[in-house]
Amino acid sequence: MGGHSPCASCKLLRRRCAKDCPFAPYFPADDPHKFAIVHKVFGASNISKMLQELPVHQRADAVSSLVYEANARVRDPVYGCVGAISYLQNQVSELQMQLALAQAEIFCIQMQHDPLAAIPITPQLLLDENEGSFVLDENNLPHYQNFSTPSSSNVIQESLKKESLFGHHMVS
């Protein structure tokens, strides 16, 4: 061994650690668990092959990824880190839904306090006051009330039916 202590992989595999050991830079002796878990999941031969196929400057990142995946595989043998990613994506979706509901509640409260201030001004909502107006229903939501001939405002009514309060198109 000539003066240097064996790396974690050589200690675990009980072999002599050469000066040019491919594992030594990534699996130091003071962190034996790091190699043990990666070895348990991937095997020393596969780790060696993966590291040799990569340029030297990418190997440290690859080892970090292998350690992360090995830890995830120990926790969840079927899905590994994909299971963790899927779980986090589901959390993001749930939080986005909660945010949308909170925004809808804020919008409804704004509508109760000042119905016209909460309505975004778009070209569709700039109507001639002789043709009709918005009225509030029993839930304090605005609806277009037509007071003129049916043909003149059918286009506006149809476009309002298809567009929700949040600007997303709905099927009617």
Side-chain angles (χ1 to χ4, degrees):
M1 285 185 233
H4 82 54
S5 62
C7 67
S9 67
C10 291
K11 269 187 183 179
L12 185 76
L13 300 173
R14 296 185 179 153
R15 64 181 185 194
R16 189 171 80 71
C17 190
K19 284 186 178 184
D20 62 342
C21 174
F23 296 123
Y26 313 108
F27 300 104
D30 62 350
D31 194 4
H33 179 71
K34 186 177 176 179
F35 181 77
I37 195 156
V38 173
H39 176 260
K40 180 179 178 179
V41 173
F42 297 106
S45 177
N46 288 328
I47 298 166
S48 178
K49 287 176 190 174
M50 285 188 259
L51 292 178
Q52 287 174 355
E53 289 179 8
L54 292 171
V56 175
H57 69 277
Q58 292 180 342
R59 291 179 184 175
D61 289 336
V63 168
S64 294
S65 296
L66 289 170
V67 170
Y68 183 84
E69 177 64 30
N71 280 313
R73 284 278 167 197
V74 168
R75 282 190 309 270
D76 184 352
V78 175
Y79 296 108
C81 68
V82 173
I85 292 168
S86 178
Y87 172 77
L88 292 172
Q89 286 175 331
N90 287 337
Q91 270 190 319
V92 167
S93 294
E94 287 178 25
L95 291 171
Q96 286 174 332
M97 189 182 318
Q98 289 176 6
L99 176 61
L101 289 172
Q103 289 172 331
E105 285 182 41
I106 290 170
F107 182 77
C108 288
I109 291 169
Q110 287 174 341
M111 292 296 293
Q112 290 172 353
H113 291 284
D114 190 4
L116 295 178
I119 299 172
I121 301 299
T122 63
Q124 294 174 339
L125 297 179
L126 296 175
L127 304 173
D128 184 68
E129 47 188 52
N130 295 329
E131 289 188 16
S133 64
F134 283 100
V135 294
L136 296 180
D137 67 6
E138 63 276 357
N139 296 321
N140 286 330
L141 294 175
H143 291 280
Y144 181 74
Q145 182 67 44
N146 183 13
F147 297 115
S148 68
T149 62
S151 60
S152 66
S153 63
N154 281 346
V155 173
I156 294 172
Q157 284 182 334
E158 287 302 311
S159 65
L160 287 174
K161 280 184 193 176
K162 291 180 183 175
E163 192 168 320
S164 75
L165 297 175
F166 301 107
H168 301 292
H169 291 288
M170 298 172 25
V171 177
S172 57

